Amino acid sequence: MDENSKEFAYEKRYLESVLSFLKREIYDIREALDIRKRILHRERRELGILVSENRSSGLSADISQSIAEDRRQLNAINMMAKLLDRDKKLLASPYFGRFDFIEDGESGPEKFYIGLHNVYDTGGDGTIYVYDWRAPICSMFYRNELGRASYTAPGGEISGEITLKRQYRIENSKLKYFFDSSLVINDEVLQETLAHNASPQMRNIVRTIQSEQDLIIRNSESDLLIAQGSAGSGKTTIALHRIAYLLYHSAAKGLTSKNIIILSLSRVFSKYIASVLPSLGEENVKEITFDELADSIGISADFDRVEFVDKLLSNERNGSDKLLKSALTFKGSREFAVILERFLRYYTHRLIEFTDISYDGKIIANREEIKNIFLRDKTGTPPLSRMRRIETILKSRIDIRQKEMHKRLQDKFKAMPEHQFDYKSVARLISIKRTNKALKQIMEFTRFSAMDVYKALFSDFGRFKRICKG
C-alpha cells in the first residue's frame, strides 16, 4: 500500500470515529430530551391543578416557583433541541480541514481537525474530535503556511511549527477526497484537481488573500471596521464570517444574534445572507433592506428607485436637469448632514408642542415637566425613543388613575337599580373611553415620523436660512 492509500485509509477511520461519536451523542440527547419533555408535561399538569385550587387567592409562592421551574425546563429543552439539530447537521460533514502543529518544547505534532462547531466528549475522557473554526488556535490554519507559526491563547502567545495543512471534501458522511496544501483553497474545482495531482507545482498554483481576510475577521482591537474593496473581492464573505466569529467569542459577554442587524441591498441579497450564515455556524441574525429600514422610521419609499436612477443617468447623458443633480450632490454632502443635525436639535427644543396631560379632570403631568424629561436625557437616545419612554411614564400614571376611577364608577353604578346587573361592564366601558381620550392626547405630540421632521426643515424659508448660517 503506497503512502497516499495509507493516508486515505487513516482519514476514513478517523471520520468513522467522529461519526460514531456524533451518533452516540445524538442518541443520548434524544433520550435526555424525551425525559425532559415528560417531566415538563407532568409539572404543567400539576401546575394546572395548583392554579385551579388557588384561583381565588391569586399567585402563591408555590405557584410562582412552579412557573419559574417551568421556564427553566423549557429553556433547557430548547437548548437541547438546538444541540440535537446541530449534531444532525454535522453528521453530513463534521469537519473540512486539519493542521498538524508542534508546540515549542513538545516532542511531536498534534492533529487539529477544524469544522463549523466543536465536537468533543464532555462526559468521557475529554477527547476533542473537531475544533470550531473560530477557536483561537484555528487562526493558524487560515493565517499561516507551513513552518513557524503562533497564536494568541488565553494564557498568552503560543509558538511552534505547522508541519501539515489538509483540506477535505466530505459529503453525506462520506470522504470524497482530501489534499495537502500550504494555502487554504476555496475553489472546489481546484480542490478536486489538487486532490488528484500531488505535484508541488500544482499544490502552489494559487495565492489568495485568505491570511489578510482572517486578520480582519478575528480583529479584536478595533471597535469600528470598514472593509474596502472592488466588486467580488470578498467584502460580504468577510462581514458574514466576522459576525459568526463575534457571536462565538462574545457569547459570555451577552452578545447574541438579537444584537446584530445586517443592512443589505435587496431582498435577493438578504436571502443569500440567510443561506450563508447557518453554514458558518450561526442562525437567526436579522437582515433588513434600506427600504425596510426607511419605512420603519416613517420614511416610506413612494417612488421607484430604479426608475429614478434611470432618469438621473438619462438626464446626465442629455445634459439636462442640472438643478436636480446639484441638489442631490448637496444632500449627500457633510454640510447638509450638519444642517440636519442643527435642525433636529431646533425641532426637539422649539417645535414639539408639549401639552398638559389630564385624566378624570386632574392634571397628571404638566407640559414643563414632560419637556424637562424629554430634554434632560444625556444618553444620546434618539428623540423617538425618548418619546416612547415618556409614553411609558405617562401610561403608568394613567393606569393608577384608571384603577381608582374604575372602582369609583363601579360603586356608583352598583347603587343604581337600572345597572345592578351590568355595573361592572358599564364602569369598564367608561373608564376605557376616558383612558383612550388621554392616550390620544399624549400621542398628539409623542408620535411623529422622520419624514415629518425632514419636511418641516423646508416649511419656513427664513428659519431654514437661520439654520444654515455659517
Side-chain angles (χ1 to χ4, degrees):
M1 187 183 289
D2 61 22
E3 193 63 33
N4 280 346
S5 299
K6 285 180 182 177
E7 283 294 302
F8 196 84
Y10 169 82
E11 292 294 359
K12 279 187 70 177
R13 286 196 304 273
Y14 189 81
L15 176 59
E16 285 163 9
S17 69
V18 176
L19 294 174
S20 295
F21 173 77
L22 279 171
K23 287 172 184 175
R24 290 196 304 274
E25 280 281 289
I26 289 169
Y27 177 82
D28 290 344
I29 293 170
R30 277 181 176 150
E31 289 284 296
L33 197 53
D34 286 342
I35 292 169
R36 286 267 188 183
K37 285 178 178 177
R38 286 199 295 272
I39 292 171
L40 182 64
H41 182 70
R42 186 184 70 239
E43 288 179 348
R44 283 186 170 177
R45 192 168 61 244
E46 292 171 356
L47 178 61
I49 295 168
L50 197 61
V51 170
S52 64
E53 288 176 348
N54 295 272
R55 187 164 290 165
S56 58
S57 59
L59 281 179
S60 66
D62 288 342
I63 293 173
S64 298
Q65 190 176 348
S66 295
I67 291 171
E69 180 58 31
D70 180 277
R71 286 175 183 159
R72 281 194 293 271
Q73 288 284 3
L74 193 58
N75 286 337
I77 286 170
N78 288 335
M79 285 179 65
M80 291 171 76
K82 285 181 181 177
L83 192 60
L84 179 63
D85 185 56
R86 191 198 77 175
D87 283 357
K88 283 161 71 176
K89 287 177 181 176
L90 284 177
L91 271 179
S93 181
Y95 53 87
F96 52 79
R98 164 190 158 189
F99 67 99
D100 295 0
F101 180 66
I102 306 175
E103 188 179 328
D104 288 346
E106 297 294 328
S107 57
E110 186 177 351
K111 300 178 181 67
F112 296 90
Y113 286 81
I114 303 170
L116 288 179
H117 297 284
N118 291 311
V119 179
Y120 59 95
D121 189 354
T122 54
D125 57 5
T127 302
I128 303 176
Y129 294 93
V130 181
Y131 287 79
D132 192 297
W133 68 273
R134 295 164 287 192
I137 195 169
C138 295
S139 64
M140 292 190 294
F141 179 76
Y142 298 97
R143 205 173 292 176
N144 298 100
E145 298 184 26
L146 298 182
R148 294 296 298 173
S150 64
Y151 71 98
T152 304
E157 194 81 4
I158 305 294
S159 299
E161 187 173 349
I162 296 175
T163 59
L164 181 138
K165 285 177 73 172
R166 182 169 286 176
Q167 283 181 252
Y168 305 87
R169 175 64 56 186
I170 301 170
E171 294 175 2
N172 300 320
S173 306
K174 301 290 183 186
L175 178 61
K176 296 294 183 180
Y177 60 79
F178 68 84
F179 65 91
D180 295 345
S181 172
S182 180
L183 302 161
V184 176
I185 310 300
N186 292 320
D187 188 281
E188 289 186 27
V189 176
L190 183 56
Q191 284 182 358
E192 194 158 3
T193 305
L194 290 169
H196 297 94
N197 188 321
S199 70
Q201 292 81 5
M202 181 59 75
R203 285 181 178 171
N204 289 290
I205 194 170
V206 174
R207 289 276 166 185
T208 70
I209 59 164
Q210 190 69 49
S211 176
E212 286 79 0
Q213 288 178 336
D214 192 70
L215 286 168
I216 298 170
I217 291 164
R218 297 174 191 267
N219 184 302
S220 58
E221 306 298 322
S222 307
D223 292 329
L224 179 66
L225 278 177
I226 299 174
Q228 292 178 294
S230 58
S233 60
K235 299 183 297 297
T236 302
T237 300
I238 289 171
L240 297 181
H241 278 76
R242 180 157 177 80
I243 288 170
Y245 176 80
L246 290 173
L247 288 172
Y248 176 83
H249 278 274
S250 302
K253 298 175 184 175
L255 182 73
T256 69
S257 57
K258 292 178 183 177
N259 304 120
I260 293 177
I261 187 166
I262 300 171
L263 182 62
S264 61
L265 303 170
S266 65
R267 273 284 117 212
V268 174
F269 193 67
S270 289
K271 285 179 181 176
Y272 163 72
I273 289 168
S275 67
V276 171
L277 272 172
S279 70
L280 300 176
E282 295 296 341
E283 298 183 57
N284 303 323
V285 175
K286 186 179 180 182
E287 317 97 35
I288 189 170
T289 65
F290 179 81
D291 287 342
E292 289 167 341
L293 178 64
D295 191 56
S296 72
I297 58 172
I299 306 174
S300 57
D302 54 357
F303 64 94
D304 189 318
R305 285 194 293 124
V306 175
E307 188 179 306
F308 184 70
V309 171
D310 187 53
K311 178 186 173 184
L312 281 176
L313 293 172
S314 176
N315 289 344
E316 192 172 302
R317 286 191 294 270
N318 299 333
S320 61
D321 218 341
K322 290 181 180 178
L323 178 62
L324 177 61
K325 186 179 177 182
S326 63
L328 287 173
T329 301
F330 172 64
K331 286 184 177 183
S333 68
R334 176 59 194 158
E335 287 79 6
F336 189 61
V338 172
I339 290 168
L340 287 175
E341 287 167 2
R342 285 182 184 178
F343 182 67
L344 184 59
R345 181 171 176 78
Y346 182 90
Y347 186 94
T348 54
H349 282 72
R350 303 278 189 88
L351 298 184
I352 298 175
E353 296 180 2
F354 295 96
T355 58
D356 296 340
I357 302 299
S358 59
Y359 187 80
D360 195 24
K362 296 176 183 176
I363 291 178
I364 61 170
N366 60 49
R367 60 189 297 275
E368 288 80 15
E369 180 193 0
I370 298 168
K371 188 171 183 178
N372 283 336
I373 293 171
F374 179 75
L375 296 177
R376 215 168 44 222
D377 189 288
K378 304 297 180 185
T379 61
T381 307
L384 282 172
S385 298
R386 279 185 270 158
M387 283 300 190
R388 295 292 177 270
R389 179 170 169 265
I390 286 171
E391 282 185 11
T392 303
I393 292 169
L394 296 178
K395 282 177 182 177
S396 66
R397 294 184 187 181
I398 287 172
D399 285 343
I400 295 168
R401 298 293 175 90
Q402 185 186 17
K403 286 174 185 175
E404 292 172 355
M405 187 182 70
H406 185 244
K407 187 177 184 307
R408 195 167 62 251
L409 288 171
Q410 271 195 355
D411 294 340
K412 176 184 174 182
F413 288 112
K414 191 176 182 180
M416 297 178 181
E418 66 269 30
H419 289 299
Q420 58 179 314
F421 298 113
D422 64 353
Y423 68 91
K424 287 184 179 179
S425 57
V426 172
R428 186 170 63 249
L429 183 65
I430 292 173
S431 68
I432 288 172
K433 281 185 176 179
R434 290 185 183 177
T435 299
N436 287 342
K437 183 181 177 181
L439 293 176
K440 186 179 178 183
Q441 193 183 8
I442 292 167
M443 287 188 284
E444 281 176 357
F445 67 84
T446 59
R447 299 293 175 100
F448 54 87
S449 72
M451 185 58 83
D452 291 337
V453 179
Y454 185 71
K455 287 179 177 178
L457 172 62
F458 305 101
S459 64
D460 184 324
F461 187 63
R463 184 175 65 210
F464 183 81
K465 284 176 72 178
R466 292 194 301 275
I467 294 292
C468 295
K469 187 178 178 181

